[in-house]
Amino acid sequence: MCYHAATPGKLKLKEMNPDKVVTYDQDVIYHISGFTRPYLPVTLNSNIDLIQESRWKLIPFWVKTEADADKYANTLNAKCEEVFEKASYKNAITKQRGLLYVTGFFEPHATDGKKNDETYFIQNPNSPIFTLGIVCTPWQDYSTFSIITTPANPQMEEIHNVGKRMPLIIPQEKHHNWLLAQGRDEIESLMVPYEGELHSHRTARVTSARGIDTNIPTIQDEV
């Protein structure tokens, strides 16, 4: 599953997306764990000309407090096979989708095929910024989202060899298709494993432990 990501800062987002208004106002993030519920750069289908912030971990309307949101079930990722059935997502997926802008994501690898003991950083060799498909919903006074995942493609099966999943990568040429899709059939047709080649290399192992600063450039270095 995709619980760890790297995202571009405001200046790079403006440079790479001159046709959009960028209200997201953070610097580069070299590594962040979804379990910290960070605010990250997204475009939502409610305003396809805007790059704004949204908070990782979808919180449904029936959760009433921040304390309850912290404790709510793990909705960092939403499996494409379940997104139309699970209560947290089923009312949102047909109406509220978006794109998460990343420079890469981190995935675990199990050298013995059983227990994850290594980390790989995954990038798109064709672009310094690429996008992941998300399902989103407003909560309290901000937006929240889950990264949609698909079965792993052959390359990612070798890396994420226990879970055999990968985030839904939406290529540039399909941005509008994803944001403007109508109905279940059209949406499901876009939730497929990525067909292109990705760049991957092993890094120092990342975890979800709090209190350790991993937002440093060297966290992405090959080891």
Side-chain angles (χ1 to χ4, degrees):
M1 295 293 187
C2 183
Y3 295 154
H4 302 265
T7 56
K10 182 175 185 177
L11 293 179
K12 195 67 175 177
L13 285 165
K14 282 186 170 183
E15 176 189 332
M16 298 287 292
N17 299 275
D19 59 328
K20 296 191 186 300
V21 175
V22 181
T23 60
Y24 177 79
D25 196 23
Q26 291 194 47
D27 292 330
V28 175
I29 296 176
Y30 299 100
H31 166 260
I32 195 71
S33 165
F35 292 98
T36 65
R37 296 179 63 208
Y39 291 90
L40 300 178
V42 303
T43 289
L44 305 179
N45 62 354
S46 56
N47 189 341
I48 66 173
D49 298 318
L50 179 67
I51 298 178
Q52 63 186 85
E53 68 176 19
S54 183
R55 197 170 186 183
W56 195 356
K57 187 182 181 182
L58 184 144
I59 306 298
F61 69 89
W62 59 81
V63 177
K64 300 303 182 185
T65 69
E66 282 286 350
D68 288 339
D70 272 336
K71 294 183 290 186
Y72 187 68
N74 181 358
T75 52
L76 297 178
N77 293 168
K79 289 184 175 182
C80 67
E81 303 94 329
E82 301 173 350
V83 72
F84 283 96
E85 276 75 43
K86 284 207 167 182
S88 296
Y89 314 116
K90 66 181 183 180
N91 293 323
I93 185 60
T94 57
K95 301 174 184 177
Q96 297 163 194
R97 295 176 308 282
L99 300 166
L100 170 66
Y101 296 86
V102 298
T103 56
F105 57 91
F106 298 82
E107 290 287 10
H109 175 74
T111 54
D112 63 359
K114 298 177 182 178
K115 184 177 180 180
N116 295 324
D117 57 349
E118 292 182 346
T119 297
Y120 280 76
F121 187 53
I122 317 299
Q123 296 168 288
N124 186 334
N126 299 314
S127 178
I129 298 174
F130 59 107
T131 54
L132 309 182
I134 60 174
V135 56
C136 48
T137 189
W139 186 78
Q140 306 286 39
D141 59 350
Y142 57 84
S143 166
T144 69
F145 71 90
S146 297
I147 296 173
I148 296 174
T149 68
T150 72
N153 64 19
Q155 180 186 9
M156 290 301 300
E157 271 193 0
E158 293 186 12
I159 295 172
H160 196 186
N161 57 336
V162 174
K164 296 187 177 181
R165 305 290 298 179
M166 68 181 298
L168 171 62
I169 296 174
I170 304 292
Q172 176 75 32
E173 66 273 15
K174 293 187 177 178
H175 280 186
H176 279 77
N177 303 66
W178 174 249
L179 293 171
L180 303 178
Q182 297 289 320
R184 179 167 179 167
D185 289 347
E186 190 174 352
I187 295 166
E188 284 187 330
S189 73
L190 296 164
M191 294 194 298
V192 294
Y194 184 63
E195 294 181 351
E197 187 71 19
L198 297 167
H199 173 77
S200 65
H201 63 261
R202 185 184 168 199
T203 67
R205 191 177 178 197
V206 299
T207 71
S208 301
R210 302 193 183 207
I212 301 173
D213 183 12
T214 56
N215 186 20
I216 52 176
T218 54
I219 197 68
Q220 299 177 4
D221 288 351
E222 185 170 3
V223 298

